Amino acid sequence: MRRWKKWLAATLGLAMVLTTAACSSSSTEEGKNEGPVTITFARGKDVTEGTKKLIEAFEKAHPNIKVKVKEMPADTGQNHDQLVTMLSSQSSEIDVFDLDVIWPAEFAKAGYLQPLDRYIESDGVDLSKYIQGALNAGKVDGQQFAMPRFIDAGILFYRKDLVQTPPKTWDELVKMAKENKGQGDTKFGYLMQAKQYEGLVCNFIEFIGAYGGRILDENGNVVINSPETVKGLKKMIEVTTSDFVPSNISTFTELESHTAFIEGQSVFIRNWPYQYALAQDPKQSKIVDKVGVAPLPSGDKGSAAALGGWMMGINKYSKHKKEAWEFVKFATGMEGQKLTAIHGGSGPTLLPVYDDEDVKKANPLFADKNFVDGISAAIPRPVSPVYPEISDVIQIEVSKAVTGKQSAEDTVKNIESKLKEIIKK
Ligand code: GLC
């Protein structure tokens, strides 16, 4: 059997050499042949102009490389599962892909990612210019497996045509959402992400964080079962079961919530920075120039934002790694991040991009001196190669709580015992 396989490989190899020689416009990994190479870039659905503008600029700067987008699901969990199916079969269908900040540990350990250190070094990419937290999310066992493309943190957006000043505390938010619901054309006071998926984990971290609760401590011990976490979760339940959020809030991801907001249906929304660019897009939004931004409300321990964001990595089995790296370097470099900030509305990870006048104009968040500090203080989700298991437990349990089916106390107890088991393994 093995000999047969060897023969087949040799024959196929020879056939490939012959075809390549006969057809000079095709290309190889070494890039010896002329003619454009097409690389496939997988990323979640982009509702902004960001990806389009980024690729246009890249192709203009690199006439020999074309970028084809493979659109993945908007839901990061579904995106993750499709990627794992593809990458675990060593498929070369995609060359380069966006990774949620919570994936690099898992993907690097599974051998899906090409280490980038060699490219970074030979091209002299200055890593000290990046927000270090964002950079470190792509570092596994001392090697850089992914480069940070943009950074996310939970933000409060409000209709500045309807309320003068945004709420400072969650209690104020509850009060203002109740009182202002119905103003203008609004139907709701507040929108968030409460479906059973990754976004729910982010919203949960923010509520409990505001009251001093957390999931794991610095040493990875499970510390979720605390009065602080219970208090934060109770506030979350108060909001999700109120009459100022849509009655089907437990089906809302970013997509449902941002759509309702730009249609003018809500006074407040919790979302990621891209929400601003979307609200300012006259082709999609009914609320252009009517949106203000603020930190998320505080609990008794301050305001807490979940840290999110997306990185870029190269498929270990890509046949066009060199070209894929050119794209990674461009997208995560000065010009690419500028375009993503201006047209996609997402926060740069490369610090000098914040000094750019067009970037400052595009989103008030980026002109705010406190934004980088705030985002650097955002709360990361647990870093672990088994993060999907950890997240699943939180999603299932918190989902029961926010739909009013389980008390805050039972929820944190259940999460505690299940996480302890996962971590013991
Ligand atoms: C955003 C964040 C990402 C997070 C996701 C949850 O895309 O950047 O980190 O996991 O939302 O829905």
Side-chain angles (χ1 to χ4, degrees):
M1 182 67 178
R2 274 191 59 204
R3 257 200 292 151
W4 188 83
K5 262 195 186 160
K6 259 193 186 163
W7 172 84
L8 191 67
T11 317
L12 281 178
L14 183 65
M16 272 177 69
V17 170
L18 291 176
T19 340
T20 319
C23 165
S24 66
S25 71
S26 70
S27 65
T28 65
E29 161 72 325
E30 288 76 35
K32 277 184 196 129
N33 302 312
E34 316 87 54
V37 172
T38 300
I39 54 172
T40 303
F41 169 40
R43 61 147 298 148
K45 186 179 168 59
D46 189 355
V47 291
T48 70
E49 293 277 281
T51 306
K52 197 174 133 231
K53 298 279 185 196
L54 175 70
I55 292 174
E56 276 169 13
F58 174 74
E59 288 182 341
K60 201 160 161 219
H62 296 83
N64 280 323
I65 311 175
K66 296 263 162 282
V67 181
K68 196 174 94 194
V69 173
K70 181 173 171 67
E71 191 174 273
M72 306 297 282
D75 177 326
T76 174
Q78 290 170 15
N79 183 346
H80 167 274
D81 295 352
Q82 280 191 23
L83 280 171
V84 168
T85 306
M86 234 187 292
L87 299 170
S88 61
S89 67
Q90 307 190 348
S91 159
S92 59
E93 182 187 343
I94 59 169
D95 299 289
V96 53
F97 56 103
D98 270 1
L99 291 97
D100 196 334
V101 285
I102 50 189
W103 303 343
E106 178 199 358
F107 281 26
K109 290 256 191 293
Y112 301 158
L113 291 166
Q114 173 70 21
L116 303 178
D117 307 74
R118 191 165 54 91
Y119 302 108
I120 291 170
E121 220 169 277
S122 65
D123 284 350
V125 177
D126 184 354
L127 297 182
S128 72
K129 297 245 160 30
Y130 286 83
I131 295 178
Q132 293 302 297
L135 189 70
N136 287 338
K139 209 182 233 176
V140 185
D141 296 337
Q143 271 184 303
Q144 197 74 40
F145 281 94
M147 284 294 285
R149 196 157 90 74
F150 63 84
I151 192 164
D152 266 341
I155 305 276
L156 183 73
F157 298 88
Y158 66 100
R159 287 284 299 276
K160 62 179 184 195
D161 58 325
L162 304 179
V163 295
Q164 307 242 299
T165 42
K168 291 227 159 42
T169 65
W170 281 110
D171 290 336
E172 267 174 48
L173 177 118
V174 168
K175 193 164 165 274
M176 289 175 77
K178 267 190 200 144
E179 283 172 6
N180 290 288
K181 171 183 130 174
Q183 272 218 64
D185 288 331
T186 60
K187 292 196 275 188
F188 311 115
Y190 185 62
L191 298 167
M192 57 185 284
Q193 298 77 41
K195 188 182 165 179
Q196 185 180 319
Y197 84 117
E198 186 61 34
L200 179 65
V201 179
C202 299
N203 281 253
F204 171 67
I205 286 179
E206 289 165 350
F207 272 104
I208 63 169
Y211 292 86
R214 42 190 194 156
I215 301 169
L216 306 180
D217 68 11
E218 309 67 49
N219 304 318
N221 300 311
V222 182
V223 291
I224 194 159
N225 192 356
S226 69
E228 289 84 6
T229 308
V230 170
K231 200 165 177 194
L233 180 54
K234 281 196 168 149
K235 192 53 69 185
M236 186 177 190
I237 297 171
E238 183 186 334
V239 171
T240 55
T241 56
S242 74
D243 63 2
F244 59 77
V245 300
S247 56
N248 60 344
I249 192 76
S250 65
T251 64
F252 273 50
T253 67
E254 286 85 0
L255 189 79
E256 291 76 17
S257 46
H258 75 224
T259 306
F261 191 64
I262 60 175
E263 282 176 358
Q265 296 180 11
S266 181
V267 185
F268 299 109
I269 184 174
R270 176 265 175 224
N271 205 351
W272 309 103
Y274 79 91
Q275 175 69 73
Y276 191 80
L278 199 60
Q280 287 300 86
D281 176 359
K283 282 193 257 126
Q284 310 190 55
S285 166
K286 294 189 184 151
I287 52 168
V288 175
D289 291 337
K290 293 183 175 164
V291 175
V293 294
L296 285 174
S298 300
D300 47 23
K301 294 280 159 43
S303 160
L307 181 65
W310 288 78
M311 319 205 62
M312 256 185 161
I314 299 175
N315 177 5
K316 182 85 168 275
Y317 295 95
S318 160
K319 297 204 171 69
H320 305 294
K321 296 200 183 83
K322 215 176 80 175
E323 290 80 5
W325 165 251
E326 285 306 323
F327 187 50
V328 172
K329 190 171 71 176
F330 184 87
T332 61
M334 193 69 191
E335 195 179 342
Q337 292 216 21
K338 242 177 86 170
L339 292 168
T340 300
I342 294 171
H343 301 285
S346 290
T349 61
L350 188 56
L351 288 162
V353 180
Y354 287 95
D355 299 330
D356 185 277
E357 289 308 319
D358 294 331
V359 168
K360 284 189 204 164
K361 254 186 263 152
N363 191 327
L365 286 169
F366 307 153
D368 180 349
K369 288 213 165 33
N370 298 321
F371 180 72
V372 174
D373 287 347
I375 219 161
S376 303
I379 306 174
R381 280 157 282 172
V383 176
S384 161
V386 293
Y387 179 73
E389 277 180 67
I390 297 178
S391 174
D392 274 352
V393 165
I394 300 172
Q395 289 178 34
I396 292 168
E397 295 300 327
V398 174
S399 174
K400 288 184 214 158
V402 295
T403 48
K405 296 196 189 90
Q406 177 168 273
S407 71
E409 287 84 356
D410 286 346
T411 303
V412 300
K413 250 186 251 154
N414 292 346
I415 300 177
E416 178 187 37
S417 63
K418 289 185 185 170
L419 289 191
K420 278 189 171 159
E421 252 170 60
I422 293 175
I423 284 167
K424 210 166 42 191
K425 271 195 276 167

